[in-house]
């Protein structure tokens, strides 16, 4: 049908061209029709005059010719004298010459017009040939158009089938997402129920233990109340007495170092009733009166203090370079004894390296993480590693096992930082879901979730505060004894990292305005700002740290250069360049002060030393 329509349109166009050519011929012919008729009349008149002149000449030269032989019906004026005849002859000759001249001009015009007509006929033939070629080309294009239209129709049918399949898959995907959300919600409910049951079991166990302790204390106090103590006894006599007679078997609190090493000063003590003894000892040894909401209660178990570095050596040269991971390296940390280095990257594994003779030798690989690792941290005891990951969780390993021991889930987005607290079995994580969470590592449960106004990029923990850095260019201080932020310190750029010195008196922040700032934690104000020509923060999670002795601050730049500032003078101490070829993501300084390790976006790990 489409081909027939195309052919009819092509034929109509041809007829239009032929019609236009015929109209042009008619117009040109009508233009010269009068000239042709006038020329024909002129030829007839010329022939007639030639004939008449010859005849008149014959008659005048031969008078014998009778008038009867003249043309009938032609009345010619007869000259009366030879002079008139001569004048008439001259007049006719002039007319004949004029007619001949006019006829010649007309003949020339006719020749020119014939030439133009021939040229136009040739042009018309060329146009007709061109029309034929165009007709053939139109036919070919129509055929090609039909093929293309068929392909388009087939493609549309295929697209419709693919679209229908896509809608079916989309509905299945939406249904599966709904099922996943339902399963996740049920899992969270089950997890909360499990945690609640564990808490209830712990409370019940604590109550049973308290009842047992209370019962044992009551018996021991009653037993002790029935004994009589001689106030005149010497210390040696008391020491020689049966310990069971004097001991009440009462657990001593951890923060108390005093021992009951002397007898009562008054015999009236033996007259106290057992109920009064119970109340007195309950006030002294009631463990329920701890400040469970404080950051680090004096009665809680805390990690032993890490030895303080006396002096850090400023790194001067790269002594070992290797390609440590399969992709970008994001986190690095020295162990407390400075013998191990942990690195973690986008390849989802943590690698442990032994520092031996100025080289890094891999000793262990920790896997089990479901996303890119953003930071790594050794516990203060050095036997565990905590890593933050982009799979919305933090992961905990023991060094004696390469498998993940525990996973801290509950964040809704990428976890950017995970740090151990000074209290044993507790940790803190920060995430891009705008929350900071405190965790009980023994139970694997979240103790508290803090909603923050902006993305959290890093966290550090002191004995009394949790400090978090954010994308809204602010550093916030949180105290577990209250439910709100206790202090905010604004900076001029998005915070990328935080580092606290050993004395917990200064805080180092790195931000996207290409500066490092030292904050006095006693006054909560900015004390120093470090800048340098060529230093540029390479990413939103670029890490800068204090040296172990707190005298220096080190950070990596986007061009691969390491910059070291003197905290005391505020001046740039040294810059190390030429080893890294990509942006430096993080640095770590050994607690011994001897080595520095830096990592970059091109999987390179560099060990630096002063010697």
């Amino acid at each position: 049908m489409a081909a027939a329509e195309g052919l009819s349109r092509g034929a109509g166009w041809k007829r239009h061209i032929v019609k236009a050519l015929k109209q042009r011929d008619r117009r040109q012919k009508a233009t010269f029709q009068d000239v042709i008729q006038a020329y024909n009349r002129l030829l007839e008149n010329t022939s007639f005059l030639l004939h008449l002149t010859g005849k008149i000449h014959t008659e005048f030269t031969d008078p014998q010719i009778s008038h009867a032989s003249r043309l009938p019906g032609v009345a010619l004026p007869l000259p009366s004298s030879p002079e008139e005849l001569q004048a008439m002859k001259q007049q006719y000759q002039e007319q004949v010459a004029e007619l001949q001249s006019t006829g010649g001009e007309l003949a020339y015009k006719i020749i020119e017009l014939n030439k133009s007509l021939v040229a136009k006929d040739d042009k018309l033939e060329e146009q007709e040939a061109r029309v034929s070629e165009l007709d053939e080309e139109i036919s070919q294009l129509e055929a090609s158009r039909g093929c293309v239209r068929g392909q388009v129709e087939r493609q549309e049918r295929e697209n419709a089938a693919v679209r229908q399949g896509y809608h079916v898959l989309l509905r299945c995907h939406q249904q599966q997402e709904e099922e996943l959300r339902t399963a996740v919600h049920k899992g969270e409910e089950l997890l909360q129920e499990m945690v609640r049951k564990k808490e209830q079991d712990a409370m019940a166990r604590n109550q049973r233990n308290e009842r047992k302790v209370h019962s044992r204390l009551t018996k021991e106090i009653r037993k002790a109340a029935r004994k009589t103590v001689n106030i005149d006894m010497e210390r040696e006599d008391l020491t020689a007495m049966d310990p069971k007679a004097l001991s009440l078997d009462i657990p001593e609190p951890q923060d108390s170092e005093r021992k009951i090493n002397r007898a009562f000063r008054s015999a009236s003590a033996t007259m106290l009733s057992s109920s009064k003894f119970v109340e007195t000892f309950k006030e002294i040894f009631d463990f329920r009166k701890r400040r469970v909401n404080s950051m680090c209660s004096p009665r809680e178990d805390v990690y032993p203090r890490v030895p303080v570095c006396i002096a850090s050596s400023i790194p001067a040269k790269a002594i070992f370079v290797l390609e440590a991971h399969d992709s970008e390296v994001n986190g690095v940390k020295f162990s407390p004894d400075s013998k191990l280095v942990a690195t973690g990257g986008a390849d989802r594994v943590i690698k442990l390296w032994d520092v031996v003779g100025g080289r890094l030798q891999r000793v262990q690989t920790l896997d089990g993480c479901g996303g890119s690792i953003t930071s790594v941290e050794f516990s203060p005891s050095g036997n565990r590693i905590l890593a933050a990951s982009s799979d919305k969780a933090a992961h905990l390993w023991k060094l004696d096992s390469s498998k993940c021991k525990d996973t801290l889930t509950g964040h809704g987005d990428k976890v950017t930082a995970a740090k151990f607290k000074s209290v044993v079995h507790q940790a803190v994580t920060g995430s891009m879901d705008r929350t900071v969470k405190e965790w009980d590592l023994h139970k694997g449960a979240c103790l508290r979730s803090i909603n923050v106004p902006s993305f959290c990029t890093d966290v550090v923990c002191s004995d009394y505060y949790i400090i978090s850095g954010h994308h809204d260019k602010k550093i916030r201080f949180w105290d577990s004894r209250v439910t709100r932020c206790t202090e905010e310190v604004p900076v001029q750029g998005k915070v990328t990292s935080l580092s606290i010195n050993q004395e917990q008196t200064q805080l180092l922040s790195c931000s996207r305005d290409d500066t490092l700032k030292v904050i006095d934690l006693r006054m909560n104000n900015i004390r120093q700002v470090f800048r340098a020509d060529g230093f540029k923060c390479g990413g939103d999670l670029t890490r800068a740290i204090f040296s172990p002795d707190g005298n220096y601050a080190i950070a990596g730049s986007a061009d691969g250069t390491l910059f070291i500032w003197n905290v005391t003078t505020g001046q740039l101490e040294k810059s190390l360049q030429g080893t890294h070829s990509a942006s430096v993501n993080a640095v770590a300084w050994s607690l011994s002060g001897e080595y520095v390790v830096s990592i970059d976006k091109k999987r390179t790990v560099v060990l630096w030393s002063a010697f």
Side-chain angles (χ1 to χ4, degrees):
M1 187 66 181
E5 291 179 359
L7 292 174
S8 64
R9 286 197 296 271
W13 177 65
K14 182 177 179 182
R15 287 195 298 272
H16 175 72
I17 292 176
V18 173
K19 184 178 179 181
L21 293 173
K22 289 181 179 180
Q23 289 178 356
R24 188 196 65 181
D25 291 340
R26 283 197 296 270
R27 285 196 301 271
Q28 291 178 353
K29 186 176 180 181
T31 304
F32 297 101
Q33 190 69 30
D34 296 338
V35 177
I36 294 172
Q37 292 177 1
Y39 177 71
N40 292 332
R41 286 195 301 271
L42 181 60
L43 290 177
E44 291 174 0
N45 291 335
T46 303
S47 300
F48 176 71
L49 287 174
L50 289 174
H51 178 72
L52 182 60
T53 304
K55 195 169 185 179
I56 291 172
H57 180 69
T58 303
E59 288 178 356
F60 279 102
T61 56
D62 191 5
Q64 298 298 325
I65 297 175
S66 64
H67 295 287
S69 61
R70 296 176 180 173
L71 290 174
V74 177
L76 296 174
L78 298 175
S80 59
S81 62
E83 291 79 5
E84 292 181 358
L85 180 61
Q86 189 65 29
M88 184 179 294
K89 181 179 178 180
Q90 187 177 358
Q91 181 180 1
Y92 283 144
Q93 288 177 352
E94 293 177 356
Q95 291 179 356
V96 169
E98 184 178 358
L99 290 174
Q100 288 177 352
S101 176
T102 304
E105 294 177 358
L106 292 175
Y108 178 77
K109 289 183 178 179
I110 288 172
I111 292 170
E112 293 294 332
L113 291 173
N114 286 332
K115 291 182 179 179
S116 176
L117 184 60
V118 170
K120 290 181 178 180
D121 288 339
D122 294 339
K123 188 174 181 180
L124 179 60
E125 291 178 358
E126 293 178 358
Q127 290 180 351
E128 287 178 351
R130 178 62 178 165
V131 167
S132 299
E133 294 177 357
L134 292 174
D135 287 339
E136 293 178 359
E137 187 175 355
I138 288 171
S139 301
Q140 295 176 358
L141 292 174
E142 288 292 339
S144 176
R145 180 171 176 268
C147 294
V148 172
R149 178 172 293 177
Q151 294 177 359
V152 169
E153 291 176 353
R154 288 194 299 272
Q155 191 65 37
E156 287 180 349
R157 289 193 295 270
E158 293 176 359
N159 291 342
V162 172
R163 191 181 300 110
Q164 185 176 3
Y166 168 75
H167 289 312
V168 173
L169 291 175
L170 182 61
R171 286 194 295 270
C172 293
H173 177 67
Q174 292 174 350
Q175 184 178 1
Q176 291 177 355
E177 280 189 344
E178 184 64 28
E179 293 176 356
L180 177 62
R181 283 195 293 269
T182 304
V184 170
H185 182 67
K186 289 182 179 178
E188 291 178 353
E189 290 181 349
L190 290 174
L191 180 61
Q192 293 177 359
E193 183 66 22
M194 189 189 320
V195 171
R196 187 164 52 253
K197 288 184 177 180
K198 286 185 177 180
E199 291 177 352
Q200 291 176 356
D201 293 341
M203 291 177 63
R205 187 164 54 251
N206 291 337
Q207 290 176 358
R208 287 195 299 271
N209 293 336
E210 288 178 359
R211 286 196 294 268
K212 291 180 181 179
V213 170
H214 182 272
S215 177
R216 186 173 66 253
L217 287 175
T218 303
K219 292 179 180 178
E220 295 293 339
I221 291 171
R222 288 177 179 174
K223 185 177 179 179
R226 287 195 295 269
K227 293 183 179 296
T228 302
V229 179
N230 188 1
I231 61 175
D232 296 328
M233 293 176 64
E234 298 294 335
R235 183 179 301 272
E236 290 79 3
D237 298 332
L238 290 175
T239 306
M241 289 180 65
D242 186 6
K244 293 183 179 181
L246 294 177
S247 173
L248 299 180
D249 195 18
I250 301 174
E252 191 77 356
Q254 294 181 4
D255 61 342
S256 176
E257 297 180 354
R258 295 178 301 177
K259 304 292 182 179
I260 302 176
N261 54 10
R262 60 185 177 87
F264 295 108
R265 292 186 178 273
S266 174
S268 61
T270 60
M271 304 302 294
L272 293 174
S273 65
S274 62
S275 62
K276 291 184 179 180
F277 268 105
V278 171
E279 293 298 326
T280 302
F281 280 92
K282 281 185 65 177
E283 290 179 357
I284 297 175
F285 299 108
D286 191 356
F287 291 94
R288 291 176 297 175
K289 291 188 177 182
R290 293 179 180 179
R291 292 186 301 165
V292 295
N293 291 328
S294 64
M295 289 293 297
C296 180
S297 174
R299 295 175 182 266
E300 291 178 318
D301 293 334
V302 297
Y303 289 106
R305 284 290 183 181
V306 179
V308 177
C309 176
I310 303 301
S312 298
S313 301
I314 301 176
K317 61 180 180 179
I319 60 175
F320 188 71
V321 181
L322 79 158
E323 191 174 288
H325 288 260
D326 296 333
S327 57
E328 179 180 355
V329 191
N330 298 322
V332 61
K333 191 72 174 180
F334 270 98
S335 64
D337 58 4
S338 302
K339 295 181 180 180
L340 291 178
V341 176
T343 59
D347 56 358
R348 304 181 180 183
V349 297
I350 293 178
K351 295 183 179 181
L352 297 179
W353 310 85
D354 194 1
V355 183
V356 179
R359 298 177 62 86
L360 297 178
Q361 298 179 359
R362 190 171 72 177
V363 295
Q364 193 175 359
T365 299
L366 306 178
D367 55 11
C369 184
S372 174
I373 294 174
T374 57
S375 73
V376 293
E377 183 79 8
F378 275 97
S379 64
S381 59
N383 60 350
R384 291 186 296 176
I385 289 181
L386 182 64
S389 173
S390 60
D391 62 355
K392 306 178 184 179
H395 303 270
L396 183 68
W397 289 268
K398 281 188 175 181
L399 294 187
D400 56 358
S401 174
S402 61
K403 293 185 179 180
C404 181
K405 176 183 180 293
D406 202 355
T407 301
L408 308 179
T409 59
H411 284 288
D413 205 337
K414 176 180 179 180
V415 180
T416 55
K419 300 292 177 65
F420 286 99
K421 293 178 65 176
S422 59
V423 180
V424 178
H425 302 306
Q426 289 191 15
V428 175
T429 57
S431 170
M432 294 185 70
D433 64 355
R434 302 187 180 187
T435 61
V436 174
K437 294 182 181 291
E438 298 179 61
W439 301 88
D440 185 341
L441 300 181
H442 184 70
K443 298 179 179 179
C446 178
L447 297 176
R448 185 173 70 140
S449 181
I450 305 171
N451 294 320
V452 296
S454 178
F455 296 159
C456 179
T457 55
D458 201 3
V459 294
V460 293
C461 301
S462 69
D463 291 341
Y464 305 102
Y465 292 99
I466 298 173
I467 307 172
S468 57
H470 300 273
H471 264 220
D472 62 355
K473 306 178 183 180
K474 290 183 179 180
I475 299 172
R476 293 179 170 87
F477 294 76
W478 310 90
D479 188 344
S480 293
R481 291 169 292 187
V482 294
T483 59
R484 57 180 177 81
C485 177
T486 59
E487 189 74 27
E488 285 187 356
V489 177
V491 293
Q492 299 300 318
K494 297 176 181 178
V495 180
T496 64
S497 71
L498 298 174
S499 175
I500 192 169
N501 64 353
Q502 291 287 338
E503 293 78 13
Q504 299 185 1
T505 57
Q506 292 182 340
L507 178 71
L508 178 68
S509 71
C510 180
S511 55
R512 291 308 298 268
D513 61 348
D514 303 330
T515 62
L516 273 65
K517 300 176 179 65
V518 177
I519 299 172
D520 189 345
L521 295 181
R522 292 165 294 190
M523 303 299 294
N524 288 341
N525 58 3
I526 298 175
R527 190 171 67 87
Q528 284 178 318
V529 178
F530 298 144
R531 294 184 177 89
D533 294 336
F535 175 72
K536 183 175 179 61
C537 187
D540 288 342
L541 297 179
T542 299
R543 308 298 189 185
I545 61 169
F546 276 122
S547 63
D549 59 0
N551 293 330
Y552 303 100
I554 184 170
S557 178
D559 62 355
T561 305
L562 292 184
F563 290 84
I564 305 172
W565 287 270
N566 190 312
V567 176
T568 304
T569 63
Q571 301 298 319
L572 180 66
E573 192 76 21
K574 182 176 289 189
S575 61
L576 305 173
Q577 57 186 356
T579 304
H580 287 287
S581 60
S583 176
V584 177
N585 286 336
V587 289
W589 207 317
S590 65
L591 190 61
S592 63
E594 182 180 1
Y595 296 110
V596 169
V597 172
S598 57
I599 58 175
D600 64 20
K601 291 186 177 181
K602 286 191 175 180
R603 305 174 289 184
T604 303
V605 176
V606 181
L607 179 64
W608 303 82
S609 176
F611 310 104

